[in-house]
Structures are given as C-alpha cells and as structure tokens.
Amino acid sequence: RGSYSLTADTGPGDITNAEAIFKTRNTWRPYTSAAETSIYIEQLGNSELTYEKKHELNVGFDASFFNDRIAVTFDAYWRNNYDLIGRTFTQGAGGEISKYANVANMESHGLETGLSTVNISGKKFKWTSDLVYSLAKNEITDLEVSSRAVDLVSGSGYALEGFPVRAIFSYQFAGLNSEGLPQVVNESGEVTVGDVNFQETENLDEFLVYEGPSDPTWYGSFNNTFTYTDKWGRLNLDVFITYSGGNVVRLDPVFSSGYSDLSALPREFKNRWMMAGDENYTDVPTIASRSQLDRYGSTALSTAYNAYNYSTARIAKGNFVRLKEVAITYALPQQWLNNSLLTSASLKIAATNLALLYADKKLNGQDPEFINSGGVASPISKQFTATLRLGF
C-alpha cells in the first residue's frame, strides 16, 4: 500500500495487490424461498502492484545568538520518489479496463526556516516575534499513463510528465468575436468558437498553456506577542498572520450558454460584452441570445463557454496574506489568588479570520485558500470567542 497517489479520487483503502477477491451474495429471485447464494469476483488480482518507494536526504540545524535573543532553525529535504501508484488503462483482459499500477517517478525538494526574536525585553514590557517560511516543489520525471485535456484544465490540477503533480493548464483565450462569444485556440492550433475536443490526449503541452501548480510552493506565518506585566496582572496581545503563494487557482466556472432565474451571477457580468466593439475592451463574454443558439447550436455554444471557463482568462494567482487571529489575554496576578481556591485565572478574547490583507483582484471576493470542486470557495466566516480559564 502506497503513501501517495497521483490521482485525487483514490484512497488507501482502494489500493491492494491481493489475489482476486471473491465474495458471496444472494441472487435475485421472484420469491424469497427460491433465493440462492452465488459467488462473484469483486476485484481481480493485481500481483504486479508494489509499494511506493523513495530515497530521501534531510539536513537541518538550530542556532541561537545573544543569550537566546535570536534563534534560527533550518531544515531541508531532497526526495526521489518512484513506483508511485495511479490508475492506468488496460486492454480489458479479465474484464477490467483500468487498474492501479506503479506508473510514475517524481523528484521533490523543500525547506523550512524559522526565525524567533526577542525584540524588547524590559521589566514590564516584552515583545517577541516568530517568522516561519516553507518552500516545497516537485516534478514528475516519468509518467506511464496518458492525460486528457479536460483533466489538465480542471481546478484541482492533474499529472503530466515534466510538471508538478497537480499542475493546472488552460486553453489559450483568443478574445471575443464580433458577437461577444468566447474564442480559444484548439488542439489544431485554430481560433474557434466551440470546436474543442476536451478528450484530446496528444501533445497537450503544445496547445495548452501551463499556468502553475494548484498547491502552494511557499507558505508560512508571522506571529507577534506583546506582553505587559505589573501589579494588576499580565496582559498579552497576539497578532498572527499567515501567507501563501506560488500557485494558481481556477476561477469558478460560472459562464454558460444559458442561465435560469435561479442562477446567481458574479460581479464580472457587469463588464460583459453588450454591443459591437465591446470585444476591444472586455474579455467577459455576452449572455448568448436565442438567435446565437439557433445559428451555432447549443452543443457548440456550450463547448465554447466551457472552454472559456477553462481558459487563460479564468486564472488567478493564489498568493495571499491573511490576518488569521488577534487575541488579547488578561491573567490575574498570583497574589490576588493566594487566599482563594484558585491557582490561576485568565480571560482570553480572540478574533479569527479577521481579514484577507492581500489577494489577487481577479478573485472578486473568492477565497484562494479554500478550494472547492471546479473553483474557489466563498470567504470563510469571521469567528469571535471568549475563553475563561480557572485553575484549582
């Protein structure tokens, strides 16, 4: 059983190299009294499947300076992963058209570094900071399965040799035509409205545009703690910021050749093509008219808008900076508790997910950190909590 799979729709419980698995069941009969037990093959044997393997090198060090006023940590790794497990198509022998196999090799490397500092250390006031930065990259060096265009342009990313594990590609957007309909470059190198084969498997990296990985390649956090202590107790203020980037996200595929009264349209539609000449100023297609549906056909227009949803016009950077949490904690002084049953008492008020300080404007309010199927999610809700802690 492997620890990693190239396909997102598999779980460890689905992978086995056991011999053929036989199970029993009751066959259907018109009367329960005539029921019979039968044996069926739940899964064919897969004896050629073996464990995923890797060679790994790790290095790291910790150091501190100026009486621990500055502390530095550093860790790095290099991995050579091989015999990675994924789905592969077969010739249908035994009744299976696909099965799990060891289909890929991958190289990856990364590092994590941390810096902790005591910026101010006085009798009453103290200020400390913690900065964490991580880098992680990978590349598929060998892949023995084919990919389809529709897999590579999806929002979740897919595998292609020579690229990251969850790479995102796009159709090259070629602007709007004079009627406001979206155009892309298809697998034949032609600019078209609707003549696109999403099932194409040949020369994908020649007509599709590589956008980047769907997983962040760098990420980290920055935390500051301010502490003030006097005879009235101790007051802490924590400000925690997270950041991430190096990836891309596929915007929600909301464009279609038709809409119903129940459709919720995003703000981009305010800038859509509305009259001749608008194609020179906007890349947001028109809402297709009945006459356009009649002339192009519903299939061609549906394909055209789907290709636009998965084009270079519908990609945003995943970089963001988030104010993750602000917390204030007040602890009573110990001398106030000496004649009571309490050994400690504190009150903490925290606000989580306060603001997205930076994100790509193309997201239009969508959250780059939380990916949904086919796009990105709505902003996460703010949370406010109060915690009273009493020690006895």
Side-chain angles (χ1 to χ4, degrees):
R1 180 174 297 176
S3 60
Y4 183 80
S5 176
L6 288 176
T7 52
D9 60 344
T10 63
D14 300 321
I15 303 173
T16 176
N17 62 351
E19 297 180 358
I21 299 175
F22 295 86
K23 289 190 175 181
T24 61
R25 62 187 174 192
N26 288 333
T27 57
W28 183 88
R29 293 291 185 268
Y31 304 102
T32 56
S33 59
E36 294 180 290
T37 300
S38 64
I39 299 176
Y40 72 98
I41 300 176
E42 183 187 57
Q43 186 172 332
L44 296 178
N46 195 4
S47 60
E48 296 179 357
L49 186 68
T50 185
Y51 294 97
E52 294 181 334
K53 309 172 184 70
K54 67 179 178 181
H55 297 146
E56 181 172 355
L57 172 64
N58 293 277
V59 297
F61 70 86
D62 300 332
S64 60
F65 310 92
F66 308 111
N67 294 323
D68 295 330
R69 293 289 295 267
I70 299 177
V72 178
T73 63
F74 178 84
D75 294 280
Y77 69 88
W78 294 264
R79 293 173 185 159
N80 180 18
N81 304 269
Y82 57 101
D83 286 338
L84 297 181
I85 296 173
R87 276 280 186 183
T88 184
F89 290 100
T90 72
Q91 296 178 338
E96 277 186 328
I97 61 173
S98 69
K99 67 177 183 179
Y100 290 112
N102 303 100
V103 297
N105 299 331
M106 179 181 72
E107 294 180 354
S108 59
H109 64 274
L111 62 85
E112 179 175 314
T113 182
L115 175 64
S116 299
T117 60
V118 180
N119 306 312
I120 299 176
S121 181
K123 292 182 178 180
K124 293 185 177 182
F125 180 72
K126 185 177 182 179
W127 169 26
T128 62
S129 298
D130 295 282
L131 176 65
V132 176
Y133 173 81
S134 299
L135 174 72
K137 293 187 177 181
N138 60 69
E139 179 182 331
I140 298 174
T141 56
D142 182 48
L143 184 63
E144 298 180 9
V145 296
S146 61
S147 303
R148 302 173 301 170
V150 67
D151 299 321
L152 295 179
V153 300
S154 68
S156 58
Y158 208 74
L160 189 65
E161 186 173 321
F163 296 92
V165 171
R166 285 159 45 87
I168 293 182
F169 290 76
S170 294
Y171 283 98
Q172 178 61 58
F173 178 59
L176 306 178
N177 68 3
S178 58
E179 298 180 67
L181 298 176
Q183 304 175 114
V184 299
V185 178
N186 67 7
E187 60 277 4
S188 300
E190 302 170 343
V191 176
T192 179
V193 175
D195 185 14
V196 176
N197 179 18
F198 286 110
Q199 305 303 318
E200 181 65 40
T201 59
E202 300 294 330
N203 303 318
L204 297 178
D205 57 341
E206 294 184 7
F207 68 91
L208 294 178
V209 178
Y210 172 62
E211 301 282 11
S214 61
D215 297 315
T217 59
W218 50 265
Y219 47 89
S221 63
F222 182 48
N223 185 68
N224 283 277
T225 301
F226 306 89
T227 304
Y228 182 80
T229 306
D230 63 8
K231 64 179 182 179
W232 303 103
R234 186 180 71 251
L235 186 66
N236 276 24
L237 171 63
D238 289 284
V239 180
F240 185 53
I241 294 173
T242 59
Y243 61 89
S244 176
N247 62 312
V248 297
V249 293
R250 173 71 65 195
L251 299 179
D252 285 337
V254 294
F255 292 88
S256 174
S257 57
Y259 306 91
S260 70
D261 292 338
L262 301 178
S263 300
L265 305 182
R267 286 180 288 182
E268 291 103 312
F269 278 78
K270 295 192 301 182
N271 301 320
R272 71 183 185 277
W273 187 100
M274 299 184 68
M275 59 186 299
D278 284 353
E279 64 271 14
N280 299 318
Y281 308 102
T282 181
D283 61 2
V284 182
T286 185
I287 295 178
S289 65
R290 175 62 62 183
S291 62
Q292 288 172 326
L293 284 170
D294 292 339
R295 283 184 286 111
Y296 286 89
S298 59
T299 301
L301 279 192
S302 177
T303 301
Y305 278 89
N306 278 330
Y308 174 78
N309 284 328
Y310 299 116
S311 72
T312 54
R314 300 296 293 166
I315 279 288
K317 293 182 178 179
N319 304 1
F320 73 86
V321 179
R322 185 187 301 279
L323 181 56
K324 189 67 175 179
E325 183 176 83
V326 176
I328 298 177
T329 304
Y330 171 68
L332 292 176
Q334 189 62 44
Q335 60 268 26
W336 290 11
L337 305 175
N338 289 337
N339 298 323
S340 69
L341 296 176
L342 299 176
T343 58
S344 63
S346 64
L347 174 65
K348 178 181 178 180
I349 299 176
T352 307
N353 302 318
L354 279 180
L356 198 59
L357 302 179
Y358 170 78
D360 193 337
K361 292 182 179 179
K362 290 184 67 176
L363 291 169
N364 281 309
Q366 300 175 64
D367 198 309
E369 190 176 9
F370 297 89
I371 307 298
N372 272 345
S373 177
V376 290
S378 300
I380 58 176
S381 59
K382 299 179 178 63
Q383 296 181 356
F384 300 90
T385 58
T387 304
L388 177 63
R389 293 181 178 176
L390 302 175
F392 296 91

PDB file of all heavy atoms in Angstrom, residues 65-70 117-129 225-229:
ATOM      1  N   PHE A  65      21.601  33.113  19.316  1.00  0.00           N
ATOM      2  CA  PHE A  65      22.625  34.133  19.490  1.00  0.00           C
ATOM      3  C   PHE A  65      22.169  35.158  20.537  1.00  0.00           C
ATOM      4  O   PHE A  65      20.972  35.297  20.813  1.00  0.00           O
ATOM      5  CB  PHE A  65      22.905  34.852  18.156  1.00  0.00           C
ATOM      6  CG  PHE A  65      23.153  33.927  17.005  1.00  0.00           C
ATOM      7  CD1 PHE A  65      22.098  33.519  16.179  1.00  0.00           C
ATOM      8  CD2 PHE A  65      24.419  33.450  16.744  1.00  0.00           C
ATOM      9  CE1 PHE A  65      22.323  32.677  15.108  1.00  0.00           C
ATOM     10  CE2 PHE A  65      24.660  32.594  15.675  1.00  0.00           C
ATOM     11  CZ  PHE A  65      23.606  32.203  14.854  1.00  0.00           C
ATOM     12  N   PHE A  66      23.154  35.881  21.098  1.00  0.00           N
ATOM     13  CA  PHE A  66      22.884  36.989  22.017  1.00  0.00           C
ATOM     14  C   PHE A  66      21.977  36.552  23.179  1.00  0.00           C
ATOM     15  O   PHE A  66      20.916  37.133  23.414  1.00  0.00           O
ATOM     16  CB  PHE A  66      22.268  38.178  21.272  1.00  0.00           C
ATOM     17  CG  PHE A  66      23.050  38.616  20.078  1.00  0.00           C
ATOM     18  CD1 PHE A  66      22.550  38.418  18.795  1.00  0.00           C
ATOM     19  CD2 PHE A  66      24.302  39.200  20.223  1.00  0.00           C
ATOM     20  CE1 PHE A  66      23.267  38.820  17.674  1.00  0.00           C
ATOM     21  CE2 PHE A  66      25.031  39.599  19.108  1.00  0.00           C
ATOM     22  CZ  PHE A  66      24.523  39.405  17.831  1.00  0.00           C
ATOM     23  N   ASN A  67      22.432  35.494  23.863  1.00  0.00           N
ATOM     24  CA  ASN A  67      21.687  34.983  25.017  1.00  0.00           C
ATOM     25  C   ASN A  67      20.243  34.622  24.658  1.00  0.00           C
ATOM     26  O   ASN A  67      19.301  34.962  25.363  1.00  0.00           O
ATOM     27  CB  ASN A  67      21.701  36.003  26.162  1.00  0.00           C
ATOM     28  CG  ASN A  67      23.082  36.221  26.721  1.00  0.00           C
ATOM     29  OD1 ASN A  67      23.876  35.277  26.812  1.00  0.00           O
ATOM     30  ND2 ASN A  67      23.399  37.463  27.080  1.00  0.00           N
ATOM     31  N   ASP A  68      20.116  33.932  23.536  1.00  0.00           N
ATOM     32  CA  ASP A  68      18.815  33.450  23.039  1.00  0.00           C
ATOM     33  C   ASP A  68      17.868  34.574  22.621  1.00  0.00           C
ATOM     34  O   ASP A  68      16.661  34.350  22.493  1.00  0.00           O
ATOM     35  CB  ASP A  68      18.119  32.570  24.086  1.00  0.00           C
ATOM     36  CG  ASP A  68      18.887  31.292  24.363  1.00  0.00           C
ATOM     37  OD1 ASP A  68      19.563  30.806  23.437  1.00  0.00           O
ATOM     38  OD2 ASP A  68      18.794  30.781  25.492  1.00  0.00           O
ATOM     39  N   ARG A  69      18.397  35.764  22.382  1.00  0.00           N
ATOM     40  CA  ARG A  69      17.541  36.837  21.873  1.00  0.00           C
ATOM     41  C   ARG A  69      17.152  36.583  20.422  1.00  0.00           C
ATOM     42  O   ARG A  69      16.113  37.034  19.960  1.00  0.00           O
ATOM     43  CB  ARG A  69      18.254  38.196  21.998  1.00  0.00           C
ATOM     44  CG  ARG A  69      18.480  38.681  23.420  1.00  0.00           C
ATOM     45  CD  ARG A  69      17.184  39.091  24.073  1.00  0.00           C
ATOM     46  NE  ARG A  69      16.571  40.239  23.451  1.00  0.00           N
ATOM     47  CZ  ARG A  69      16.756  41.504  23.832  1.00  0.00           C
ATOM     48  NH1 ARG A  69      17.553  41.773  24.863  1.00  0.00           N
ATOM     49  NH2 ARG A  69      16.137  42.495  23.216  1.00  0.00           N
ATOM     50  N   ILE A  70      17.997  35.846  19.711  1.00  0.00           N
ATOM     51  CA  ILE A  70      17.717  35.470  18.321  1.00  0.00           C
ATOM     52  C   ILE A  70      17.926  33.971  18.179  1.00  0.00           C
ATOM     53  O   ILE A  70      18.983  33.444  18.563  1.00  0.00           O
ATOM     54  CB  ILE A  70      18.631  36.226  17.331  1.00  0.00           C
ATOM     55  CG1 ILE A  70      18.405  37.733  17.439  1.00  0.00           C
ATOM     56  CG2 ILE A  70      18.388  35.746  15.910  1.00  0.00           C
ATOM     57  CD1 ILE A  70      19.323  38.540  16.545  1.00  0.00           C
ATOM     58  N   THR A 117      12.710  36.018  17.553  1.00  0.00           N
ATOM     59  CA  THR A 117      13.475  37.125  18.119  1.00  0.00           C
ATOM     60  C   THR A 117      12.760  37.688  19.344  1.00  0.00           C
ATOM     61  O   THR A 117      11.528  37.697  19.409  1.00  0.00           O
ATOM     62  CB  THR A 117      13.663  38.254  17.089  1.00  0.00           C
ATOM     63  OG1 THR A 117      12.375  38.750  16.687  1.00  0.00           O
ATOM     64  CG2 THR A 117      14.411  37.757  15.873  1.00  0.00           C
ATOM     65  N   VAL A 118      13.558  38.130  20.299  1.00  0.00           N
ATOM     66  CA  VAL A 118      13.043  38.893  21.429  1.00  0.00           C
ATOM     67  C   VAL A 118      13.397  40.349  21.155  1.00  0.00           C
ATOM     68  O   VAL A 118      14.537  40.777  21.361  1.00  0.00           O
ATOM     69  CB  VAL A 118      13.653  38.412  22.756  1.00  0.00           C
ATOM     70  CG1 VAL A 118      13.101  39.227  23.921  1.00  0.00           C
ATOM     71  CG2 VAL A 118      13.381  36.925  22.960  1.00  0.00           C
ATOM     72  N   ASN A 119      12.456  41.096  20.639  1.00  0.00           N
ATOM     73  CA  ASN A 119      12.730  42.453  20.183  1.00  0.00           C
ATOM     74  C   ASN A 119      12.910  43.428  21.346  1.00  0.00           C
ATOM     75  O   ASN A 119      13.788  44.291  21.313  1.00  0.00           O
ATOM     76  CB  ASN A 119      11.593  42.935  19.275  1.00  0.00           C
ATOM     77  CG  ASN A 119      11.336  41.969  18.137  1.00  0.00           C
ATOM     78  OD1 ASN A 119      12.261  41.537  17.461  1.00  0.00           O
ATOM     79  ND2 ASN A 119      10.078  41.605  17.937  1.00  0.00           N
ATOM     80  N   ILE A 120      12.060  43.299  22.350  1.00  0.00           N
ATOM     81  CA  ILE A 120      12.156  44.136  23.540  1.00  0.00           C
ATOM     82  C   ILE A 120      11.945  43.246  24.760  1.00  0.00           C
ATOM     83  O   ILE A 120      11.016  42.429  24.791  1.00  0.00           O
ATOM     84  CB  ILE A 120      11.108  45.271  23.528  1.00  0.00           C
ATOM     85  CG1 ILE A 120      11.320  46.188  22.323  1.00  0.00           C
ATOM     86  CG2 ILE A 120      11.163  46.067  24.820  1.00  0.00           C
ATOM     87  CD1 ILE A 120      10.257  47.271  22.196  1.00  0.00           C
ATOM     88  N   SER A 121      12.803  43.390  25.760  1.00  0.00           N
ATOM     89  CA  SER A 121      12.651  42.599  26.979  1.00  0.00           C
ATOM     90  C   SER A 121      12.934  43.508  28.172  1.00  0.00           C
ATOM     91  O   SER A 121      14.091  43.665  28.599  1.00  0.00           O
ATOM     92  CB  SER A 121      13.603  41.397  26.970  1.00  0.00           C
ATOM     93  OG  SER A 121      13.440  40.612  28.128  1.00  0.00           O
ATOM     94  N   GLY A 122      11.891  44.148  28.703  1.00  0.00           N
ATOM     95  CA  GLY A 122      12.022  45.031  29.846  1.00  0.00           C
ATOM     96  C   GLY A 122      11.409  44.425  31.090  1.00  0.00           C
ATOM     97  O   GLY A 122      10.920  43.284  31.086  1.00  0.00           O
ATOM     98  N   LYS A 123      11.418  45.172  32.157  1.00  0.00           N
ATOM     99  CA  LYS A 123      10.851  44.691  33.417  1.00  0.00           C
ATOM    100  C   LYS A 123       9.345  44.476  33.315  1.00  0.00           C
ATOM    101  O   LYS A 123       8.801  43.550  33.907  1.00  0.00           O
ATOM    102  CB  LYS A 123      11.162  45.677  34.536  1.00  0.00           C
ATOM    103  CG  LYS A 123      12.630  45.748  34.906  1.00  0.00           C
ATOM    104  CD  LYS A 123      12.857  46.707  36.064  1.00  0.00           C
ATOM    105  CE  LYS A 123      14.323  46.753  36.478  1.00  0.00           C
ATOM    106  NZ  LYS A 123      14.552  47.680  37.612  1.00  0.00           N
ATOM    107  N   LYS A 124       8.678  45.325  32.555  1.00  0.00           N
ATOM    108  CA  LYS A 124       7.221  45.224  32.436  1.00  0.00           C
ATOM    109  C   LYS A 124       6.754  44.834  31.029  1.00  0.00           C
ATOM    110  O   LYS A 124       5.713  44.194  30.879  1.00  0.00           O
ATOM    111  CB  LYS A 124       6.570  46.545  32.836  1.00  0.00           C
ATOM    112  CG  LYS A 124       6.720  46.899  34.302  1.00  0.00           C
ATOM    113  CD  LYS A 124       5.945  48.147  34.636  1.00  0.00           C
ATOM    114  CE  LYS A 124       6.031  48.474  36.133  1.00  0.00           C
ATOM    115  NZ  LYS A 124       5.235  49.684  36.474  1.00  0.00           N
ATOM    116  N   PHE A 125       7.529  45.244  30.029  1.00  0.00           N
ATOM    117  CA  PHE A 125       7.062  45.039  28.642  1.00  0.00           C
ATOM    118  C   PHE A 125       8.010  44.113  27.887  1.00  0.00           C
ATOM    119  O   PHE A 125       9.236  44.226  27.999  1.00  0.00           O
ATOM    120  CB  PHE A 125       6.967  46.378  27.922  1.00  0.00           C
ATOM    121  CG  PHE A 125       6.486  46.267  26.499  1.00  0.00           C
ATOM    122  CD1 PHE A 125       5.168  45.957  26.211  1.00  0.00           C
ATOM    123  CD2 PHE A 125       7.365  46.451  25.443  1.00  0.00           C
ATOM    124  CE1 PHE A 125       4.723  45.851  24.902  1.00  0.00           C
ATOM    125  CE2 PHE A 125       6.936  46.343  24.130  1.00  0.00           C
ATOM    126  CZ  PHE A 125       5.603  46.047  23.867  1.00  0.00           C
ATOM    127  N   LYS A 126       7.410  43.186  27.112  1.00  0.00           N
ATOM    128  CA  LYS A 126       8.190  42.261  26.298  1.00  0.00           C
ATOM    129  C   LYS A 126       7.511  42.088  24.939  1.00  0.00           C
ATOM    130  O   LYS A 126       6.288  41.980  24.847  1.00  0.00           O
ATOM    131  CB  LYS A 126       8.311  40.901  26.996  1.00  0.00           C
ATOM    132  CG  LYS A 126       9.224  39.912  26.275  1.00  0.00           C
ATOM    133  CD  LYS A 126       9.342  38.602  27.066  1.00  0.00           C
ATOM    134  CE  LYS A 126      10.281  37.636  26.389  1.00  0.00           C
ATOM    135  NZ  LYS A 126      10.429  36.365  27.162  1.00  0.00           N
ATOM    136  N   TRP A 127       8.346  42.058  23.887  1.00  0.00           N
ATOM    137  CA  TRP A 127       7.820  41.884  22.522  1.00  0.00           C
ATOM    138  C   TRP A 127       8.656  40.810  21.836  1.00  0.00           C
ATOM    139  O   TRP A 127       9.865  40.930  21.716  1.00  0.00           O
ATOM    140  CB  TRP A 127       7.884  43.203  21.755  1.00  0.00           C
ATOM    141  CG  TRP A 127       7.606  43.091  20.280  1.00  0.00           C
ATOM    142  CD1 TRP A 127       6.868  42.139  19.657  1.00  0.00           C
ATOM    143  CD2 TRP A 127       8.078  43.966  19.256  1.00  0.00           C
ATOM    144  NE1 TRP A 127       6.828  42.354  18.296  1.00  0.00           N
ATOM    145  CE2 TRP A 127       7.566  43.482  18.034  1.00  0.00           C
ATOM    146  CE3 TRP A 127       8.866  45.117  19.257  1.00  0.00           C
ATOM    147  CZ2 TRP A 127       7.837  44.099  16.814  1.00  0.00           C
ATOM    148  CZ3 TRP A 127       9.128  45.743  18.044  1.00  0.00           C
ATOM    149  CH2 TRP A 127       8.617  45.235  16.842  1.00  0.00           C
ATOM    150  N   THR A 128       7.993  39.738  21.412  1.00  0.00           N
ATOM    151  CA  THR A 128       8.662  38.647  20.693  1.00  0.00           C
ATOM    152  C   THR A 128       8.013  38.447  19.334  1.00  0.00           C
ATOM    153  O   THR A 128       6.819  38.727  19.150  1.00  0.00           O
ATOM    154  CB  THR A 128       8.600  37.329  21.484  1.00  0.00           C
ATOM    155  OG1 THR A 128       7.221  36.937  21.642  1.00  0.00           O
ATOM    156  CG2 THR A 128       9.249  37.484  22.846  1.00  0.00           C
ATOM    157  N   SER A 129       8.806  37.945  18.388  1.00  0.00           N
ATOM    158  CA  SER A 129       8.316  37.684  17.031  1.00  0.00           C
ATOM    159  C   SER A 129       8.768  36.302  16.585  1.00  0.00           C
ATOM    160  O   SER A 129       9.862  35.842  16.947  1.00  0.00           O
ATOM    161  CB  SER A 129       8.840  38.737  16.046  1.00  0.00           C
ATOM    162  OG  SER A 129       8.385  40.026  16.379  1.00  0.00           O
ATOM    163  N   THR A 225       3.945  38.716  19.677  1.00  0.00           N
ATOM    164  CA  THR A 225       3.345  38.656  21.003  1.00  0.00           C
ATOM    165  C   THR A 225       3.859  39.829  21.838  1.00  0.00           C
ATOM    166  O   THR A 225       5.076  40.010  21.991  1.00  0.00           O
ATOM    167  CB  THR A 225       3.687  37.337  21.709  1.00  0.00           C
ATOM    168  OG1 THR A 225       3.212  36.238  20.923  1.00  0.00           O
ATOM    169  CG2 THR A 225       3.042  37.281  23.086  1.00  0.00           C
ATOM    170  N   PHE A 226       2.929  40.598  22.351  1.00  0.00           N
ATOM    171  CA  PHE A 226       3.249  41.740  23.202  1.00  0.00           C
ATOM    172  C   PHE A 226       2.728  41.436  24.615  1.00  0.00           C
ATOM    173  O   PHE A 226       1.549  41.111  24.789  1.00  0.00           O
ATOM    174  CB  PHE A 226       2.603  43.024  22.678  1.00  0.00           C
ATOM    175  CG  PHE A 226       2.936  43.312  21.234  1.00  0.00           C
ATOM    176  CD1 PHE A 226       2.137  42.813  20.206  1.00  0.00           C
ATOM    177  CD2 PHE A 226       4.046  44.081  20.905  1.00  0.00           C
ATOM    178  CE1 PHE A 226       2.440  43.069  18.879  1.00  0.00           C
ATOM    179  CE2 PHE A 226       4.353  44.349  19.577  1.00  0.00           C
ATOM    180  CZ  PHE A 226       3.551  43.840  18.560  1.00  0.00           C
ATOM    181  N   THR A 227       3.604  41.553  25.619  1.00  0.00           N
ATOM    182  CA  THR A 227       3.240  41.220  26.996  1.00  0.00           C
ATOM    183  C   THR A 227       3.561  42.395  27.921  1.00  0.00           C
ATOM    184  O   THR A 227       4.688  42.927  27.893  1.00  0.00           O
ATOM    185  CB  THR A 227       3.997  39.976  27.478  1.00  0.00           C
ATOM    186  OG1 THR A 227       3.749  38.888  26.579  1.00  0.00           O
ATOM    187  CG2 THR A 227       3.547  39.567  28.878  1.00  0.00           C
ATOM    188  N   TYR A 228       2.573  42.765  28.715  1.00  0.00           N
ATOM    189  CA  TYR A 228       2.779  43.818  29.718  1.00  0.00           C
ATOM    190  C   TYR A 228       2.372  43.252  31.078  1.00  0.00           C
ATOM    191  O   TYR A 228       1.264  42.751  31.265  1.00  0.00           O
ATOM    192  CB  TYR A 228       1.940  45.048  29.391  1.00  0.00           C
ATOM    193  CG  TYR A 228       2.144  46.184  30.373  1.00  0.00           C
ATOM    194  CD1 TYR A 228       3.251  47.023  30.270  1.00  0.00           C
ATOM    195  CD2 TYR A 228       1.246  46.402  31.411  1.00  0.00           C
ATOM    196  CE1 TYR A 228       3.452  48.060  31.176  1.00  0.00           C
ATOM    197  CE2 TYR A 228       1.431  47.431  32.320  1.00  0.00           C
ATOM    198  CZ  TYR A 228       2.545  48.250  32.194  1.00  0.00           C
ATOM    199  OH  TYR A 228       2.746  49.265  33.100  1.00  0.00           O
ATOM    200  N   THR A 229       3.296  43.351  32.052  1.00  0.00           N
ATOM    201  CA  THR A 229       3.066  42.781  33.380  1.00  0.00           C
ATOM    202  C   THR A 229       3.321  43.834  34.459  1.00  0.00           C
ATOM    203  O   THR A 229       4.363  44.510  34.433  1.00  0.00           O
ATOM    204  CB  THR A 229       3.988  41.577  33.618  1.00  0.00           C
ATOM    205  OG1 THR A 229       3.832  40.638  32.559  1.00  0.00           O
ATOM    206  CG2 THR A 229       3.650  40.892  34.937  1.00  0.00           C
TER     207      THR A 229
END
